[in-house]
Amino acid sequence: MSATLKRREVVAQLLADRGDLMVVAGLGSTAWDCTAAGDHPLTFPLWGAMGQAAMMGLGLALAQPSRRVLVVTGDGEMLMGMGSLATIGVQQPANLSVVVIDNERYGETGMQATHTASGVDLAAVARACGIAHASTLTRESEIAALRAAVHAQQGPNFAAVKVVADKVPIVLPPRDGGLLKARFRRALLGDAADTQ
Amino acid sequence: MTEAMSEAIDWPLEVHRILSGAKLRQVGYVPDAGHKRLIELCRADSSMRAVALTTEEEGIGLAVGAWLGGERCALLMQSSGVGNIINALGTIKECRFPLPMLITMRGEYGEFNPWQVPMGQATPAVLEAMGVVVQPVREAAGIPAAVDAALRLAYNSYVATAVLISQKVIGIKSFQEQAAR
């Protein structure tokens, strides 16, 4: 079954009325998606660190247990850090959700197939790692429930959202890593960010 | 210093006390014989979250997320694990994240396993090439002060620091001895 969901629409819906949600955006297309939905100081968009997005979400979720954390990343990025699903499964952070925008392609390098195109099931991996709420979504009608889960469902939560493998306009966040770090910490911690 | 003298100081206990005093709230680790006791002390400390990792690279992401969220995170690993974090250290340097790492050396002083030697010998150069401030320690008595200095440098200057704890301190001479520990 070929995917029908559009990545930009899915991410925009997940980030609508985000409140105090904190977001880690995996490098490449998902960073552009999150920026297209509205650049935000509490989004940490990655320009590198492939395979690290979910672990950054875990560190953040453990540091801020009263706040919700969402990792939005791609299938190629998640495949590179699949062990982190096991680590998250062991830690069981109740406030963490990982959403993989799965177009079954490496979008930044020429749309080559990822392993999910050959049937590797990331939601099944997540479930096997102890992430109880883990599913693969293919329908528009399922996204509202996913957004609700990101904001309120006891985690850890995982979803692979199958999306159309089309090229969409690139929308770039700031590139300076020091700036992205500092603005995130100031938005979260206030003046304490500068004295910690 | 003789081995008997080097055991006179309970360096894992001292290092745990320093980590606790510096308000380290997350400690990422891959199980390691040299860090066995320190890991146990961190796991038993309710003020710290000791996070077992499947690979050392995950620890870089953990430390990044922790600092974004306002918590300090240290990483414990063996020198072979340094090979698993090199690309991820680029994020630490570009964003100027503070990152203290305590690394037990293999392939160094009296190593018995030849497969450990290449990474062990390359460890200081590889870390320095990625911008990490490296502090080698060859005696147990010097470890607490080196860890204290590494934490201060990391958090005052927003850099990655690595204390390299010599195999001379760890003192493993054979697989049989390691398995028995």
Side-chain angles (χ1 to χ4, degrees):
Chain A
M1 191 185 81
S2 61
T4 57
L5 287 169
K6 304 279 196 183
R7 57 184 311 131
R8 286 283 157 86
E9 293 172 13
V10 170
V11 173
Q13 200 175 339
L14 291 177
L15 297 183
D17 302 319
R18 56 187 281 174
D20 61 5
L21 181 70
M22 299 188 288
V23 177
V24 176
L27 81 170
S29 300
T30 45
W32 321 151
D33 294 337
C34 289
T35 308
D39 186 35
H40 194 288
L42 288 178
T43 295
F44 193 65
L46 297 169
W47 285 85
M50 189 163 177
Q52 294 292 301
M55 283 304 299
M56 292 181 190
L58 175 62
L60 183 53
L62 294 177
Q64 291 285 333
S66 64
R67 303 266 299 241
R68 303 294 299 195
V69 177
L70 170 63
V71 175
V72 182
T73 195
D75 42 304
E77 205 276 348
M78 190 72 253
L79 285 162
M80 195 175 277
M82 219 153 64
S84 59
L85 293 175
T87 299
I88 290 167
V90 169
Q91 294 297 323
Q92 292 290 311
N95 55 335
L96 177 64
S97 299
V98 177
V99 173
V100 174
I101 303 298
D102 183 2
N103 66 354
E104 304 183 351
R105 299 288 187 279
Y106 291 101
E108 301 306 305
T109 57
M111 299 299 270
Q112 300 92 339
T114 66
H115 288 5
T116 65
S118 298
V120 171
D121 183 343
L122 287 171
V125 172
R127 215 173 298 119
C129 289
I131 300 174
H133 300 292
S135 51
T136 301
L137 310 185
T138 57
R139 294 195 301 275
E140 202 281 332
S141 59
E142 298 171 306
I143 305 304
L146 176 59
R147 184 191 169 282
V150 165
H151 282 271
Q153 179 173 267
Q154 167 102 13
N157 304 305
F158 180 94
V161 182
K162 293 288 185 179
V163 299
V164 177
D166 56 359
K167 292 295 278 186
V168 292
I170 291 175
V171 183
L172 301 179
R175 275 201 306 281
D176 181 339
L179 167 70
L180 293 166
K181 174 197 68 172
R183 74 173 191 168
F184 189 106
R185 282 170 48 85
R186 281 192 173 170
L188 175 63
L189 306 168
D191 292 343
D194 301 335
T195 55
Q196 186 187 9
Chain B
M1 184 180 283
T2 67
E3 280 185 38
M5 284 171 71
S6 74
E7 286 171 6
I9 176 170
D10 188 350
W11 68 265
L13 189 68
E14 288 296 309
V15 169
H16 171 259
R17 186 182 58 74
I18 290 165
L19 294 179
S20 177
K23 297 186 165 53
L24 273 292
R25 293 288 177 256
Q26 296 187 33
V27 177
Y29 68 93
V30 171
D32 166 52
H35 277 316
K36 185 168 185 281
R37 178 157 154 72
L38 179 56
I39 289 168
E40 288 168 355
L41 289 165
C42 292
R43 288 188 64 88
D45 183 340
S46 61
S47 76
M48 292 178 185
R49 182 81 165 225
V51 178
L53 311 166
T54 69
T55 170
E56 293 79 2
E57 187 184 11
E58 290 178 10
I60 305 295
L62 184 78
V64 164
W67 185 249
L68 287 177
E71 281 196 344
R72 294 178 168 193
C73 174
L75 302 182
L76 313 181
M77 70 185 79
Q78 194 178 95
S79 54
S80 50
V82 169
N84 298 339
I85 66 170
I86 299 307
N87 180 55
L89 284 173
T91 300
I92 300 298
K93 185 175 183 184
E94 159 57 20
C95 303
R96 300 186 66 223
F97 280 100
L99 176 69
M101 297 179 282
L102 311 186
I103 297 166
T104 52
M105 293 303 297
R106 293 291 308 271
E108 186 222 24
Y109 190 91
E111 176 61 57
F112 62 90
N113 180 350
W115 293 43
Q116 288 279 358
V117 176
M119 189 65 234
Q121 286 299 305
T123 289
V126 163
L127 286 171
E128 285 173 348
M130 289 305 293
V132 178
V133 179
V134 174
Q135 174 67 65
V137 188
R138 296 188 64 81
E139 310 293 346
I143 296 172
V147 170
D148 181 65
L151 292 174
R152 290 176 192 277
L153 181 58
Y155 292 109
N156 288 331
S157 301
Y158 311 103
V159 294
T161 59
V163 177
L164 306 185
I165 300 172
S166 173
Q167 202 164 9
K168 186 181 179 192
V169 174
I170 307 302
I172 300 165
K173 294 191 181 64
S174 72
F175 279 116
Q176 290 77 7
E177 284 182 7
Q178 181 171 332
R181 286 166 76 98

